Amino acid sequence: MPEHWANLDLHLDVNLDGSRLGRSLEDALRAAARAGRLPPGTRLPSSRALAADLGIARNTVADAYGQLAAEGWLTARTGAGTWVTETPTLAAAAPVEAAAPTAPRFRYDLRPGTPDLSAFPRREWLAAARRALAGVADHVLDYPDPRGLAQLREALSGYLARARGVDVEPDRIVVCAGFTHGLALLVEALRGRGASAVAVESHGLPEHRAVIADGGLRLAVLPVDSDGAVPDEAVLGGAGAALLTPAHQFPLGVTLAPGRRRVLTEWAADTGAVLIEDDYDGEFRYDRHPVGAMQALAPDHVVYGGTASKALAPGLRLGWLAVPARLLDEVVAAARGAGGGPDAVSQLTLAEFIASGGYDRQVRHARLAYRRRRDELVAMVGHGAHGVRVAGIAAGLHALIRVHSGQTEAEAIAAALRRDLAVAGLADYAAGQAAAGLVVGYARSLT
Amino acid sequence: MPEHWANLDLHLDVNLDGSRLGRSLEDALRAAARAGRLPPGTRLPSSRALAADLGIARNTVADAYGQLAAEGWLTARTGAGTWVTETPTLAAAAPVEAAAPTAPRFRYDLRPGTPDLSAFPRREWLAAARRALAGVADHVLDYPDPRGLAQLREALSGYLARARGVDVEPDRIVVCAGFTHGLALLVEALRGRGASAVAVESHGLPEHRAVIADGGLRLAVLPVDSDGAVPDEAVLGGAGAALLTPAHQFPLGVTLAPGRRRVLTEWAADTGAVLIEDDYDGEFRYDRHPVGAMQALAPDHVVYGGTASKALAPGLRLGWLAVPARLLDEVVAAARGAGGGPDAVSQLTLAEFIASGGYDRQVRHARLAYRRRRDELVAMVGHGAHGVRVAGIAAGLHALIRVHSGQTEAEAIAAALRRDLAVAGLADYAAGQAAAGLVVGYARSLT
């Protein structure tokens, strides 16, 4: 028996309790991978061998392997076996988005997810903080309302209505520490209502899939085509919710077509399921007016999620959810439980920044700057010798560059790295099989 | 069958899946109570009746009821039955600490947990924010390191060593959004290591017990006497961790005796368990030098948790954990997962506030003010006609007033309310049976 197996056995002994085996095996493997006890690159026994070893059904093992592959912990190569994922791992490395705080290793870091941090309006933000703190009563500095401060929910209700067409009164807004934190609250609320699975798009942030899986819900994977997520009934059937990026699919860049929006909201209305709209870059549309939020079509069935991470800075840890009334109590209970909401001073400052027009001004400036950088990127790539295709550029802070036929994705990324240029690949975001492609963020200036 | 039972049946049908029944029943009841589907005051069927109804063992039901009573969801009155807890509920109301942001309902609110918010140094805090933001590179505003910013961990390492005797290098500090959030991270880490129960003190914040139970760990209850938590081997036996308030037991006010500290750290060293030291008010000691942190006795076995909630304001949502090396990876993974950490601007500001001496100055001023208010309270109570005893006043921001024998705790609280004075009772914090007593916070001025 190879060394790795012995290691695996050790930890499964601890965790398998003889009941609900599939779940326990899955949990044990996930925990071991997360904590590094199963290091990246470890080859797992075949499902047949492990099943025999543990005296359980082969399907139980195969299901656990399949789920963990969907979450990105394991990589299966057909006919060759199953490995603990080498890179990017959620366990051993910070998520791609979190890489920047350590010293940048590349001259040009074009991995997506981070806006132009040099554009953060430090002076205006501090001025807003000063005005905000001058005007509030002491009790605002107490343990905060788990929904967030009333001042900020009021300001967001107005802003979201005019900027994104979102239909929400302040009482149904829950302020959170960025969208991923908001998603964790939603997962807890959904599990409390008896949901067992969440449909996700075939490509998206692995952090989001991990939050769903860590929260005890299964992932069901929706295909994505040029009209956005495909409302596949077989996938949606068992799901209590679907996580979507309607305005600008991440990372594929397509917009969810009106017909699809209708079908999906009808599905939610008919089944009592919830659509989760991740509007991570909805303010940044270049080709025409912004695509309005899907939430406005069905405010009782769509949770709208937004963030200040793109317009201001991820470091502020400020996001928001517009929550249907029927889900509100559970989401607020989840927010109260773990106590991880944003601080009062930042909330007051953002409220003042929105109310004084500073936020709109910042979005306008950023939109112009990003559009210019997108045009530069398209021009650069267009001048390359390989005739590559650039897609998904009608909006947002990233583009998708299809790899030409003579190259694998890994070869293309390696070629970029040799030129001191860090980019991400579609495989970094795929819930299953991925076409080859480079995901290039253009928010940060190249010059 | 009474109406309430029908309601209960409905939701148990959804959640009971035939396996691991005890856990599922407990989960189903907790979820129903939290979401208000089982409203406060609902009387539950007897364990015998419910067991017969569901066709399961009576002990399974009794265990679930016992666990939920320990968490505060249910109240059992011997011989009379079991009810969904009326007040304070974790589900239907904000925790006691979170009550202030809504309009205060009482002229004098002496419930414990909140410092004097009028003492928050708004001007100095804004000045520190300005200095902090002027000096940092842009990448500090990116997605933060899940451990917190290096600047703050560096400042905390020095502060905790000189103010509390904590032995921790910056790399083992994890910044969190207050202690409750830090506890949630620890619970996730402990569960990942296979822990199944956490020992808690007989009295403490129900929010903490709820975080442990919500995280899937069972509660085991340690008695507390005049030397602090009693290291009862029968209770500690099955526990992978113990949550303690060594410097100033909350709410009983006693200090954990040196002999007990030794026994507990030896237990942790021998069994691989973890002690969690909630040092919520360790800086505020009046009778002699501060009692040093227990963490210094056994840095490899104690997680030290502190907060800026008492010295500055709870609304800042800033706390910190000093984590033993063997637990660090799991805690950081938990912090990365849900994305709920504090924002970069607040972290930088606190780092600058500590480095510039502002934090020490603030603690010194607050300590003097709280000591004066404590003396006023003792004088007032001492002048009362009833000969009541005031305890737990050597430290902290709250005192314990024993109710005299002619009164129940509820009567004493009601009498105070008639004088427009809100106080808490020991029953609000008890994991099981409680002696009668009033818990009175004196941080906020009465004048």
Side-chain angles (χ1 to χ4, degrees):
Chain A
M1 190 181 278
E3 187 189 353
H4 289 320
W5 288 42
N7 187 5
L8 190 62
D9 285 343
L10 179 68
H11 296 287
L12 292 176
D13 282 347
V14 174
N15 286 286
L16 290 177
D17 63 358
S19 63
R20 297 180 71 189
L21 247 181
R23 182 78 202 154
S24 295
L25 175 62
E26 185 188 313
D27 282 349
L29 288 169
R30 189 188 293 112
R34 176 184 297 111
R37 292 194 303 267
L38 278 178
T42 306
R43 182 176 177 173
L44 297 179
S46 72
S47 57
R48 195 176 47 77
L50 185 58
D53 219 32
L54 297 169
I56 59 179
R58 182 177 176 179
N59 268 355
T60 307
V61 179
D63 286 352
Y65 280 12
Q67 174 67 16
L68 292 168
E71 293 169 24
W73 295 104
L74 302 183
T75 305
R77 289 165 219 158
T78 314
T82 302
W83 282 262
V84 178
T85 304
E86 196 81 63
T87 170
T89 64
L90 300 169
V96 171
E97 297 186 314
T102 57
R105 290 173 298 163
F106 311 105
R107 178 141 179 231
Y108 305 112
D109 189 346
L110 295 190
R111 290 172 297 183
T114 299
D116 179 3
L117 298 168
S118 74
F120 180 75
R122 299 186 186 200
R123 202 161 49 93
E124 291 80 357
W125 185 255
L126 286 167
R130 201 180 56 238
R131 293 195 304 274
L133 266 185
V136 294
D138 290 333
H139 71 74
V140 173
L141 299 169
D142 203 346
Y143 288 89
D145 186 323
R147 289 173 301 174
L149 295 185
Q151 290 92 332
L152 179 54
R153 289 184 284 113
E154 191 75 44
L156 282 171
S157 170
Y159 172 75
L160 293 175
R162 66 189 150 73
R164 305 293 300 127
V166 172
D167 173 8
V168 63
E169 58 269 31
D171 277 356
R172 291 196 293 105
I173 290 180
V174 175
V175 177
C176 49
F179 180 77
T180 305
H181 177 237
L183 181 61
L185 303 180
L186 287 171
V187 166
E188 193 177 330
L190 289 165
R191 200 189 43 202
R193 293 167 63 91
S196 61
V198 175
V200 297
E201 296 170 323
S202 64
H203 293 71
L205 285 179
E207 295 87 324
H208 292 175
R209 296 194 295 267
V211 161
I212 294 167
D214 285 354
L217 300 183
R218 303 205 144 251
L219 297 161
V221 180
L222 290 171
V224 176
D225 64 18
S226 58
D227 279 343
V230 180
D232 182 328
E233 284 182 26
V235 176
L236 293 173
L243 170 62
L244 303 167
T245 48
H248 189 228
Q249 208 283 332
F250 186 85
L252 299 172
V254 295
T255 303
L256 188 62
R260 296 264 172 96
R261 290 175 186 236
R262 206 175 49 242
V263 170
L264 284 160
T265 50
E266 282 169 6
W267 165 72
D270 290 348
T271 62
V274 175
L275 299 175
I276 304 169
E277 177 172 26
D278 176 7
D279 196 44
Y280 66 103
D281 69 358
E283 284 113 338
F284 299 100
R285 186 99 205 162
Y286 312 122
D287 57 344
R288 42 181 168 141
H289 281 302
V291 176
M294 181 172 67
Q295 189 265 3
L297 291 179
D300 293 337
H301 306 290
V302 180
V303 178
Y304 171 92
T307 175
S309 292
K310 303 293 186 267
L312 287 168
L316 292 180
R317 313 307 304 128
L318 280 169
W320 41 84
L321 301 175
V323 183
R326 65 187 165 105
L327 205 60
L328 188 61
D329 286 350
E330 280 100 340
V331 174
V332 173
R336 179 180 295 131
D343 74 299
V345 176
S346 301
Q347 291 191 48
L348 289 170
T349 304
L350 180 58
E352 167 65 26
F353 200 62
I354 294 173
S356 67
Y359 195 78
D360 290 80
R361 207 156 42 237
Q362 180 69 14
V363 167
R364 217 159 45 234
H365 288 167
R367 196 189 290 131
L368 283 171
Y370 293 150
R371 181 181 187 139
R372 201 165 51 236
R373 284 182 199 154
R374 178 201 65 158
D375 293 345
E376 285 168 10
L377 177 75
V378 172
M380 276 171 56
V381 172
H383 288 136
H386 300 301
V388 292
R389 277 201 307 129
V390 185
I393 56 170
L397 286 66
H398 77 276
L400 177 64
I401 302 185
R402 294 291 184 182
V403 176
H404 70 95
S405 54
Q407 245 180 346
T408 67
E409 180 177 299
E411 287 165 352
I413 293 174
L417 275 180
R418 280 193 297 274
R419 295 158 73 182
D420 229 355
L421 195 70
V423 297
L426 271 187
D428 297 339
Y429 303 105
Q433 296 295 318
L438 303 182
V439 185
V440 181
Y442 49 73
R444 285 174 283 189
S445 176
L446 274 181
T447 52
Chain B
M1 190 182 280
E3 188 187 352
H4 289 319
W5 289 41
N7 189 4
L8 190 64
D9 285 343
L10 179 67
H11 296 287
L12 292 176
D13 282 348
V14 174
N15 287 283
L16 290 177
D17 63 358
S19 63
R20 299 180 70 189
L21 246 183
R23 183 79 202 151
S24 296
L25 175 62
E26 184 189 313
D27 282 349
L29 288 169
R30 189 189 291 111
R34 176 185 296 111
R37 292 194 303 266
L38 278 178
T42 306
R43 183 176 177 173
L44 296 180
S46 73
S47 58
R48 195 179 45 78
L50 185 57
D53 218 35
L54 296 171
I56 60 180
R58 183 176 175 181
N59 268 355
T60 307
V61 179
D63 286 353
Y65 280 11
Q67 174 68 18
L68 292 169
E71 294 170 22
W73 294 105
L74 302 183
T75 305
R77 291 165 218 157
T78 314
T82 303
W83 282 261
V84 178
T85 304
E86 197 78 65
T87 171
T89 64
L90 300 168
V96 171
E97 298 187 313
T102 58
R105 290 172 298 162
F106 311 104
R107 180 142 177 230
Y108 305 112
D109 190 347
L110 295 189
R111 291 172 296 182
T114 299
D116 179 4
L117 298 169
S118 73
F120 180 76
R122 298 186 188 200
R123 203 162 47 95
E124 292 79 358
W125 185 255
L126 286 167
R130 200 180 56 240
R131 292 195 305 274
L133 267 184
V136 295
D138 290 333
H139 71 75
V140 173
L141 299 170
D142 203 346
Y143 287 88
D145 186 322
R147 289 174 302 173
L149 295 184
Q151 289 91 332
L152 179 54
R153 289 184 284 114
E154 191 75 44
L156 282 170
S157 169
Y159 172 76
L160 293 174
R162 67 189 148 75
R164 305 292 300 125
V166 173
D167 173 8
V168 63
E169 58 269 31
D171 276 356
R172 291 194 293 105
I173 290 180
V174 175
V175 177
C176 49
F179 180 77
T180 305
H181 177 238
L183 181 60
L185 302 180
L186 287 171
V187 166
E188 192 176 329
L190 289 165
R191 200 189 42 202
R193 291 165 65 88
S196 61
V198 176
V200 297
E201 296 170 323
S202 65
H203 294 69
L205 285 179
E207 296 86 324
H208 292 174
R209 296 195 294 268
V211 161
I212 293 167
D214 285 354
L217 300 183
R218 306 205 144 249
L219 297 161
V221 179
L222 291 171
V224 176
D225 64 18
S226 58
D227 279 343
V230 181
D232 182 329
E233 283 182 26
V235 176
L236 293 173
L243 170 63
L244 304 166
T245 48
H248 188 227
Q249 207 284 331
F250 187 85
L252 299 172
V254 295
T255 303
L256 189 62
R260 295 266 173 93
R261 290 175 187 235
R262 206 177 48 244
V263 170
L264 283 160
T265 50
E266 282 169 6
W267 165 72
D270 289 348
T271 63
V274 175
L275 299 176
I276 304 169
E277 177 172 27
D278 175 8
D279 195 44
Y280 66 104
D281 68 359
E283 285 113 338
F284 300 101
R285 186 100 204 161
Y286 312 122
D287 57 344
R288 42 183 166 138
H289 281 301
V291 176
M294 181 174 67
Q295 189 266 3
L297 290 180
D300 293 337
H301 306 291
V302 179
V303 178
Y304 171 91
T307 174
S309 292
K310 302 294 185 268
L312 287 168
L316 292 180
R317 313 306 305 127
L318 281 168
W320 42 83
L321 301 175
V323 183
R326 65 187 165 104
L327 205 60
L328 189 61
D329 285 351
E330 280 100 341
V331 174
V332 173
R336 179 180 293 132
D343 74 295
V345 176
S346 301
Q347 290 191 50
L348 289 170
T349 304
L350 180 58
E352 167 64 27
F353 200 62
I354 294 173
S356 67
Y359 195 78
D360 290 80
R361 207 155 43 237
Q362 179 69 13
V363 167
R364 214 156 49 233
H365 288 167
R367 196 189 290 129
L368 284 170
Y370 294 150
R371 182 182 187 138
R372 203 165 51 236
R373 283 182 200 154
R374 179 201 65 158
D375 292 345
E376 286 168 10
L377 177 76
V378 172
M380 276 171 56
V381 172
H383 289 137
H386 300 301
V388 292
R389 278 201 305 126
V390 185
I393 55 170
L397 287 64
H398 77 276
L400 177 64
I401 302 186
R402 293 289 182 184
V403 175
H404 71 94
S405 55
Q407 243 179 348
T408 67
E409 179 178 301
E411 287 165 352
I413 293 174
L417 276 180
R418 281 193 296 275
R419 297 157 73 182
D420 229 357
L421 194 70
V423 299
L426 271 187
D428 296 339
Y429 304 104
Q433 296 296 317
L438 303 182
V439 185
V440 181
Y442 49 73
R444 284 173 286 188
S445 176
L446 273 181
T447 51

